[in-house]
Amino acid sequence: MLHKKPARYFSALIGFVLVVSSNVQAEPAAPKLANVAILATGGTIAGTGNSSTATVGYTAATVGVDRLIQAVPELAKVAKVTGEQVFQIASENMSNEHWLTLAKRVNVLLAQSNVDGIVITHGTDTLEETAYFLDLVVKSRKPVVVVGAMRPSNALSADGPMNLYNAVLLAASPEAVGKGVLVSLNDQIHAARDVSKTNTSTLDSFKSGDLGMLGYIQGNKPFFYHVSSRKHTVDTEFDIANLQALPQVDIVYGYANMGPVALNAFVGAGAKGIVHAGVGDGSLSNKVKPALIAARKDGVLIVRSSRVGQGILARNGEANDDELDFVVSDTLNPQKARILLMLAMTKTSDSKEIQRMFYTY
Ligand code: SIN
């Protein structure tokens, strides 16, 4: 009997220890944060005005990437961010060369296992163009988000800090993987292909028109409702890894009383492609049509687009494109048609092949 007593105490002690230890809550493991690289290029998001109410007439591209990041300490809660100043320019000065440099850097970073997503801070004036260029040449499914701001960094109710926070949140989110290059401002998510700046100064300037935006960011979470059906990023045929320059493509703008002067000047200056931003459904004036036909006969590729901003440019509608050997831009606006034509011309000079690309991307 005596020797059984300590055994009883011992098993009771074990039971007590097990009960106590099962009631001790283990510290929840800290969520693993994604690594997001912020590449800064300038623009109003990095701009400063003379006063907090100077929402026009300020200077773009004055604040460096480190200060942009320091201004939003909340970024540390959603991602491990690093900053890199790629350029410091107002985006009206964005060039083909800048795009090649930026895209190559993005591809190098995304190939690294320690980068999960990229945010590019950018001026809003040509933001849609840079985003679409990247959409066609980035070779990764990891999120790339292009962000800007309509108000300079020291303005009352500056939109830059929240836009940057949302962009980092989005770039760090699994929901954004494989969606192509995204544009985020004003709590909205847009596809690079479809978004445009539509207002010179209001905070809700970025819109995707009839085709619609992809979703919202609300309560620290992205909500997607649509995806772009056009091919992008890893599914395109474009490769800029070894490209040093893009072919010269210019845009001629349609208007009443339009003549061939600008077109002939561009062709005379060496343009290898022309985007005709025609009125309506890309109509050609009697004065410009012969010059376009002559340019095509000289080997210049012609894309008919529209200055209207919405809708499909009908092939063989306002011009007999089959006969004239022209290409139509589908729903791309002229500035995005210029980008696709330049990239298409790095692959082929066959207008039928290029037309296929305009219906693919
Ligand atoms: C720019 O595009 O660099 C200036 C305008 C802006 O960012 O809103």
Side-chain angles (χ1 to χ4, degrees):
M1 281 300 281
L2 271 178
H3 69 278
K4 280 189 183 160
K5 222 172 178 181
R8 233 178 11 243
Y9 287 142
F10 186 65
S11 62
L13 186 65
I14 298 267
F16 175 73
V17 169
L18 283 177
V19 168
V20 169
S21 65
S22 72
N23 283 338
V24 172
Q25 294 295 314
E27 274 293 306
K32 196 175 164 325
L33 293 179
N35 297 307
V36 174
I38 301 180
L39 306 187
T41 72
T44 294
I45 194 167
T48 42
N50 289 335
S51 75
S52 60
T53 53
T55 55
V56 291
Y58 54 84
T59 311
T62 57
V63 177
V65 66
D66 292 342
R67 271 178 58 205
L68 289 183
I69 293 172
Q70 280 159 19
V72 192
E74 294 82 357
L75 293 178
K77 291 187 190 147
V78 289
K80 282 192 208 144
V81 295
T82 54
E84 192 173 318
Q85 193 76 48
V86 188
F87 320 118
Q88 185 64 300
I89 59 172
S91 79
E92 65 265 30
N93 298 317
M94 194 59 69
S95 65
N96 295 352
E97 291 70 35
H98 286 118
W99 283 341
L100 288 171
T101 303
L102 180 63
K104 286 174 187 175
R105 185 68 189 134
V106 167
N107 279 334
V108 165
L109 286 171
L110 291 180
Q112 293 176 195
S113 59
N114 62 351
V115 175
D116 300 307
I118 288 188
V119 167
I120 296 163
T121 62
H122 198 291
T124 60
D125 290 348
T126 59
L127 189 152
E128 68 192 73
E129 295 178 55
T130 299
Y132 186 51
F133 181 77
L134 294 173
D135 197 47
L136 294 172
V137 301
V138 164
K139 292 297 158 206
S140 173
R141 288 172 50 78
K142 293 178 186 174
V144 176
V145 183
V146 190
V147 64
M150 295 300 292
R151 290 185 180 153
S153 62
N154 64 332
L156 279 179
S157 297
D159 51 335
M162 191 48 132
N163 285 351
L164 181 61
Y165 175 78
N166 280 343
V168 170
L169 183 93
L170 187 57
S173 74
E175 292 93 332
V177 172
K179 300 262 188 347
V181 172
L182 302 171
V183 170
S184 178
L185 289 94
N186 204 32
D187 299 342
Q188 298 179 340
I189 307 167
H190 298 265
R193 182 188 184 276
D194 301 326
V195 72
S196 271
K197 184 174 184 177
T198 66
N199 187 291
T200 55
S201 52
T202 59
L203 298 188
D204 63 347
S205 177
F206 279 77
K207 305 250 180 340
S208 292
D210 294 344
L211 300 181
M213 63 178 182
L214 304 185
Y216 299 103
I217 299 170
Q218 192 191 63
N220 299 302
K221 202 176 151 33
F223 291 83
F224 281 91
Y225 299 91
H226 305 286
V227 285
S228 176
S229 64
R230 291 303 174 102
K231 290 190 173 175
H232 54 69
T233 56
V234 290
D235 293 324
T236 77
E237 58 210 275
F238 308 118
D239 180 7
I240 48 95
N242 297 311
L243 214 57
Q244 302 308 322
L246 290 160
Q248 186 186 334
V249 174
D250 292 295
I251 302 172
V252 292
Y253 197 82
Y255 48 93
N257 202 47
M258 184 192 188
V261 177
L263 167 65
N264 289 338
F266 281 136
V267 173
K272 302 285 181 284
I274 291 287
V275 175
H276 178 265
V279 296
D281 196 9
S283 303
L284 310 174
S285 77
N286 288 338
K287 290 185 195 156
V288 88
K289 191 170 174 179
L292 284 170
I293 292 169
R296 180 70 198 109
K297 288 209 169 104
D298 286 346
V300 178
L301 283 152
I302 309 292
V303 173
R304 286 198 308 118
S305 183
S306 171
R307 69 176 198 177
V308 169
Q310 301 291 327
I312 301 172
L313 202 302
R315 188 168 173 87
N316 297 322
E318 289 295 331
N320 190 334
D321 300 294
D322 289 349
E323 193 179 293
L324 301 176
D325 202 22
F326 292 169
V327 174
V328 293
S329 67
D330 186 38
T331 61
L332 288 182
N333 66 25
Q335 56 272 31
K336 289 186 186 174
R338 187 184 87 89
I339 290 165
L340 182 51
L341 180 56
M342 288 191 298
L343 287 170
M345 289 166 68
T346 65
K347 304 293 289 183
T348 181
S349 57
D350 179 346
S351 64
K352 296 198 175 41
E353 262 295 280
I354 294 176
Q355 184 64 78
R356 175 191 61 76
M357 294 176 191
F358 272 84
Y359 285 132
T360 304
Y361 303 113

